């Protein structure tokens, strides 16, 4: 009990001292940011989810009672050349001076975040209360009515990709009557991208999937269309269909000094085992059977990003290896849709 009383007395004394001395660190015409809060006019938009968008926060409090680090800082003198003053400033927390430009950026980002939740007409207002040289700041969210997705359509000008997407539609993140949530829309693009990358589409990324959103007049509903863009490596290239790639060769190189940036496998011995090629000098330090068992990238099979990740994970469990690097090279023969997988294995330290 006595310890608690002493603690409260110490916090109170520090608060009083800091209140008296903080003024010398506040430039004329400016304010100490004393408190920041967020309020919302709807319970669906929870303020706790939006504090991450605030770029400037007030000085921290200990036990939600007193700004002790600020008090320690303010006990220092204004002469920064003195070692004791530098010590106190390093130990403490400098006063946070209210910055209206930073606050506006926070307000804009918060407003954008709320609109991305489906409240497309949301506004965030700033309320300030000043008392002497201190300022209390409140972000006030007026969310309004949310928009909901009325209809979902797909514009997929590729039968194979369309079949893959429709065949996996049970796992979609989009549903009719759901809020027009930009995060969910992006999650759906990522899900379809992974689906395609696991089914041969090595060069596919989510930027090839775009949304068209049409809002009905005088309603809060959205008709949503997902569109597949054709493949273009560069903007000046002619649009083409997306290719599904198969694996031609799986090559393992077990050499410490080798690099995947310039692998031609010249000057190496090699052996073939259960569909994989093992290149080495002198003798391989890992048995080919182990490499085959821990490899998930199969010749003649479709490229799969999940197989690549599984191979990384399984090779990572081998204590004999320091790290694994995998590179895919496109087979440049006519209009080929094949890849060579090159797996570089770097030996770890010898185990006793």
């Amino acid at each position: 009990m006595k310890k608690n009383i002493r603690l409260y007395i110490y916090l109170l004394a520090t608060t009083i001292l800091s209140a008296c001395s903080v003024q010398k660190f506040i430039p004329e015409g400016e304010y100490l940011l004393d408190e920041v809060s967020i309020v919302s006019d709807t319970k669906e938009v929870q303020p706790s989810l939006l504090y991450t968008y605030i770029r400037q926060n007030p000085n921290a409090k200990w036990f939600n009672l007193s700004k002790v680090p600020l008090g320690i800082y303010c006990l220092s003198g204004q002469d920064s050349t003195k070692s004791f003053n530098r010590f106190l400033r390093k130990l403490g927390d400098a006063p946070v001076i209210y910055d209206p430009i930073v606050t506006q950026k926070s307000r804009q980002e918060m407003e954008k975040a709320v609109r991305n939740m489906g409240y497309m007409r949301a506004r965030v207002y700033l309320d300030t209360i000043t008392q002497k040289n201190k300022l209390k700041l409140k972000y006030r969210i007026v969310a309004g009515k949310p928009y909901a997705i009325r209809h979902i359509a797909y514009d997929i000008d590729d039968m194979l990709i369309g079949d893959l997407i429709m065949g996996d539609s049970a796992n979609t993140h989009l549903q009719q009557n759901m809020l027009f949530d930009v995060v969910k829309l992006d999650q759906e693009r990522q899900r379809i991208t992974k689906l395609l990358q696991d089914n041969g589409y090595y060069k596919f990324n989510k930027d090839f999937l775009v949304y068209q959103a049409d809002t009905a007049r005088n309603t809060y509903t959205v008709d949503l269309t997902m569109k597949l863009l054709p493949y273009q490596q560069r903007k000046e290239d002619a649009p083409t269909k997306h290719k599904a790639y198969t694996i031609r060769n799986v090559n393992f190189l077990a050499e410490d000094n080798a690099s995947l940036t310039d692998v031609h496998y010249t000057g190496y011995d090699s052996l073939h085992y259960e569909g994989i090629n093992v290149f080495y000098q002198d003798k391989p330090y890992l048995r080919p059977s182990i490499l085959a068992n821990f490899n998930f990238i199969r010749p003649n099979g479709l490229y799969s990003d999940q197989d690549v990740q599984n191979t990384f994970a399984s090779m990572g469990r081998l204590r004999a290896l320091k790290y694994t690097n995998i590179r895919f090279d496109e087979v440049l023969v006519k209009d080929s849709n094949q890849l060579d997988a090159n797996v570089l294995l770097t030996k770890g330290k010898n185990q006793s």
Side-chain angles (χ1 to χ4, degrees):
M1 185 66 181
K2 290 183 178 180
K3 289 183 178 180
N4 291 335
I5 293 174
R6 289 174 182 172
L7 175 62
Y8 290 135
I9 292 173
Y10 170 72
L11 294 176
L12 179 61
T14 306
T15 302
I16 294 172
L17 287 172
S18 66
C20 296
S21 56
V22 71
Q23 297 181 14
K24 61 188 177 184
F25 294 104
I26 302 176
E28 186 177 353
E30 298 190 23
Y31 297 93
L32 174 73
L33 184 59
D34 188 48
E35 184 179 303
V36 175
S37 61
I38 303 175
V39 295
S40 172
D41 68 341
T42 175
K43 63 180 181 180
E44 283 75 18
V45 180
Q46 300 177 17
S48 59
L49 301 176
L50 299 167
Y51 276 96
T52 56
Y53 296 98
I54 296 178
R55 296 187 175 195
Q56 190 180 42
N57 287 289
N59 294 94
K61 289 183 178 181
W62 281 13
F63 309 106
N64 290 323
L65 294 173
S66 177
K67 299 178 180 181
V68 175
L70 172 63
I72 294 174
Y73 185 97
C74 292
L75 291 175
S76 68
Q78 291 184 304
D79 187 356
S80 60
T81 62
K82 293 184 178 180
S83 59
F84 184 68
N85 289 341
R86 292 200 303 269
F87 170 74
L88 289 175
R89 293 187 182 190
K90 187 175 181 180
L91 190 64
D93 189 10
V96 177
I97 306 302
Y98 172 68
D99 188 331
I101 296 177
V102 172
T103 300
Q104 278 296 334
K105 290 180 179 179
S106 300
R107 185 199 66 77
Q108 291 168 2
E109 291 180 5
M110 194 179 299
E111 191 172 84
K112 181 180 178 181
V114 177
R115 290 179 178 181
N116 286 345
M117 295 177 186
Y119 298 84
M120 297 171 64
R121 297 183 182 178
R123 296 296 303 271
V124 176
Y125 299 94
L126 298 175
D127 297 332
T128 59
I129 299 175
T130 57
Q131 185 176 10
K132 294 183 179 179
N133 55 3
K134 294 183 179 180
L135 182 143
K136 293 183 179 181
L137 173 65
K138 180 188 294 183
Y139 293 89
R140 182 164 47 87
I141 301 169
V142 180
K145 188 175 179 179
Y147 281 70
I149 296 176
R150 181 176 66 176
H151 179 70
I152 303 170
Y154 296 86
D155 183 6
I156 310 297
D157 190 20
D158 188 308
M159 185 179 298
L160 295 177
I161 291 180
D163 288 345
L164 283 171
I165 294 175
M166 293 301 106
D168 196 56
S169 59
N171 295 314
T172 183
H173 294 286
L174 305 182
Q175 304 290 339
Q176 284 187 338
N177 299 321
M178 67 174 281
L179 291 183
F180 186 75
D181 190 329
V182 172
V183 174
K184 290 290 181 68
L185 299 185
D186 192 59
Q187 287 176 349
E188 179 67 2
R189 293 169 68 209
Q190 293 177 5
R191 183 192 70 82
I192 293 176
T193 297
K194 186 179 187 311
L195 171 68
L196 296 179
Q197 289 178 345
D198 288 342
N199 283 274
Y201 292 90
Y202 168 68
K203 294 185 176 182
F204 197 88
N205 64 69
K206 70 175 186 177
D207 291 335
F208 291 117
L209 296 170
V210 296
Y211 290 106
Q212 179 180 338
D214 296 323
T215 57
R217 175 178 286 185
N218 299 325
T219 70
Y220 287 84
T221 59
V222 177
D223 291 334
L224 190 69
T225 301
M226 175 183 282
K227 181 178 177 61
L228 173 70
L229 299 179
Y231 176 76
Q232 284 180 287
Q233 187 171 356
R234 296 179 298 270
K235 289 184 179 180
E236 59 270 20
D237 293 342
T240 61
K241 281 196 171 185
H242 296 272
K243 284 184 181 181
Y245 286 81
T246 58
I247 304 299
R248 184 179 70 168
N249 297 315
V250 181
N251 305 315
F252 281 85
L253 178 60
E255 289 296 331
D256 286 351
N257 297 323
S259 172
L260 281 180
T261 59
D262 187 29
V263 170
H264 301 293
Y265 303 114
T266 55
Y268 291 97
D269 294 323
S270 65
L271 58 85
H272 187 80
Y273 182 87
E274 292 189 1
I276 66 172
N277 303 311
V278 182
F279 294 86
Y280 60 93
Q281 291 178 339
D282 297 329
K283 64 177 182 179
Y285 59 81
L286 281 173
R287 293 193 300 273
S289 59
I290 293 178
L291 297 179
N293 289 336
F294 280 72
N295 171 56
F296 290 84
I297 306 170
R298 304 300 181 187
N300 302 319
L302 284 172
Y303 167 83
S304 170
D305 186 67
Q306 188 60 54
D307 290 346
V308 177
Q309 299 308 317
N310 290 340
T311 300
F312 271 121
S314 62
M315 293 295 173
R317 293 194 294 268
L318 291 175
R319 294 185 178 181
L321 296 178
K322 184 178 180 180
Y323 62 80
T324 303
N325 198 352
I326 303 175
R327 189 189 73 189
F328 289 89
D329 291 330
E330 190 172 356
V331 179
L332 301 176
V333 179
K334 294 183 180 179
D335 195 23
S336 172
N337 62 337
Q338 291 183 310
L339 298 169
D340 284 339
N342 301 290
V343 186
L344 176 64
L345 307 174
T346 301
K347 187 178 181 181
K349 293 182 179 180
N350 291 332
Q351 303 289 327
S352 61

